[in-house]
Amino acid sequence: MIQDSSTRSWNQLSTEWCDIAPTNEMRINFIMPYMLKLLGDVSGKRILDLGCGEGGYSRELTNRNADVVAVDCAEYSIEYAKKKSLEEGFKIQYYVRNSNDLYDIEDNSFDIVLCSMMLMDCEDLNGTIKEIVRVLKPSGKLFASVLHPCFTGKNIGREGEGINRKVIVEDYFNPSEYEQPLPTGKISVIWRHRTLEDYIKMFIKHGLTIVDLNEARPTPEQSDISVSIAWLQKIPLFLFWELKK
């Protein structure tokens, strides 16, 4: 596997992430349900879960009768995901790969590539999108979610508390890379702030067409779960892309 700052950073964080992910409130109650709704009926679809982490999406998509291949750069995450798949009786193929080099994965072989909260983490976005396009079938789709770059970043902070918090933007463009732990974690990980322009130009460069873009908002039922989720009715912290090859 090609090593870079992303692979090293996420291998260091992997054990902590696999502890956090299965019960993370925002992920379980908002991010995953929203993405799964966008994906719709996946029965019979061949899906690449790129940046699969602990494998939650892979198992759920397999449960919904998709044919899933899962890739992550963190060896511990892949071993964790394999163990959970065996426990739950799912047959999922796993690879440890940098997202910019999906060797041994055939061209034009997937109906869908899923990148949930992953594109803002990889060091080589150009190489990653190039590989995604390579493995997608003609007219295949990329579904991706990222932190909303207008409202999240090293110099994009918060003022106040609870539902009345405000976003304070000191610098939208800089820095592009910084380190800090996850909100509920202790181990520092590299964060990459990419602008809307960065993403769109990269998609266009590799011939992807934007089919849809959603600044996700919670349902009333989701908002009742916590103030953090309810705040998303006012400020979109996540972008969900649907793109076509």
Side-chain angles (χ1 to χ4, degrees):
M1 180 180 72
I2 293 176
Q3 297 288 337
D4 58 22
S5 61
S6 296
T7 63
R8 290 188 290 270
S9 182
W10 277 95
N11 272 278
Q12 291 172 359
L13 183 70
S14 180
T15 303
E16 183 176 84
W17 173 245
C18 289
D19 288 338
I20 292 172
T23 58
N24 180 268
E25 178 185 85
M26 191 69 73
R27 181 176 182 272
I28 298 301
N29 295 306
F30 183 69
I31 296 172
M32 284 188 70
Y34 199 95
M35 179 61 83
L36 290 168
K37 183 179 179 181
L38 291 178
L39 286 166
D41 183 6
V42 296
S43 181
K45 300 289 187 182
R46 191 157 193 259
I47 299 177
L48 174 62
D49 184 4
L50 186 57
C52 68
E54 95 312 337
Y57 278 105
S58 297
R59 294 188 296 276
E60 181 57 34
L61 292 169
T62 302
N63 187 52
R64 298 183 183 203
N65 298 313
D67 176 15
V68 178
V69 174
V71 172
D72 201 272
C73 70
E75 292 184 19
Y76 180 88
S77 292
I78 289 294
E79 291 305 313
Y80 179 99
K82 284 181 179 179
K83 180 181 177 181
K84 294 294 288 184
S85 294
L86 288 172
E87 289 173 357
E88 298 178 28
F90 295 130
K91 293 183 179 180
I92 299 169
Q93 191 172 8
Y94 292 97
Y95 293 94
V96 178
R97 298 284 187 274
N98 191 319
S99 59
N100 68 4
D101 185 22
L102 302 177
Y103 62 92
D104 295 333
I105 297 179
E106 295 181 0
D107 297 358
N108 307 309
S109 56
F110 291 96
D111 301 293
I112 293 169
V113 173
L114 169 64
C115 292
S116 178
M117 303 302 293
M118 174 267 185
L119 291 179
M120 69 277 185
D121 293 328
C122 58
E123 177 181 320
D124 183 6
L125 182 62
N126 179 68
T128 295
I129 299 300
K130 182 179 179 180
E131 281 290 81
I132 288 170
V133 172
R134 178 182 69 80
V135 302
L136 274 174
K137 294 178 181 179
S139 298
K141 288 187 175 181
L142 165 62
F143 287 84
S145 58
V146 299
L147 289 170
H148 198 309
C150 295
F151 303 105
T152 306
K154 179 66 174 179
N155 290 321
I156 302 175
R158 308 288 184 259
E159 183 180 273
E161 296 182 359
I163 198 68
N164 294 316
R165 281 182 300 166
K166 297 178 181 179
V167 175
I168 306 299
V169 181
E170 297 180 17
D171 188 341
Y172 173 67
F173 293 107
N174 301 293
S176 60
E177 183 179 306
Y178 56 99
E179 291 190 39
Q180 66 183 36
L182 297 170
T184 57
K186 296 180 180 179
I187 301 172
S188 287
V189 65
I190 293 175
W191 298 73
R192 289 185 169 83
H193 175 76
R194 293 186 165 111
T195 66
L196 288 171
E197 179 180 306
D198 292 334
Y199 288 114
I200 292 171
K201 287 186 180 298
M202 192 62 69
F203 296 148
I204 291 171
K205 176 181 178 180
H206 292 285
L208 291 170
T209 299
I210 298 172
V211 175
D212 197 11
L213 173 63
N214 291 280
E215 295 176 306
R217 283 172 282 182
T219 64
E221 292 77 17
Q222 288 172 323
S223 297
D224 288 338
I225 294 171
S226 71
V227 171
S228 295
I229 294 177
W231 192 53
L232 300 180
Q233 291 182 324
K234 301 171 68 175
I235 302 294
L237 294 185
F238 310 103
L239 282 177
F240 289 75
W241 305 86
E242 179 182 348
L243 303 114
K244 185 176 181 180
K245 180 175 174 179

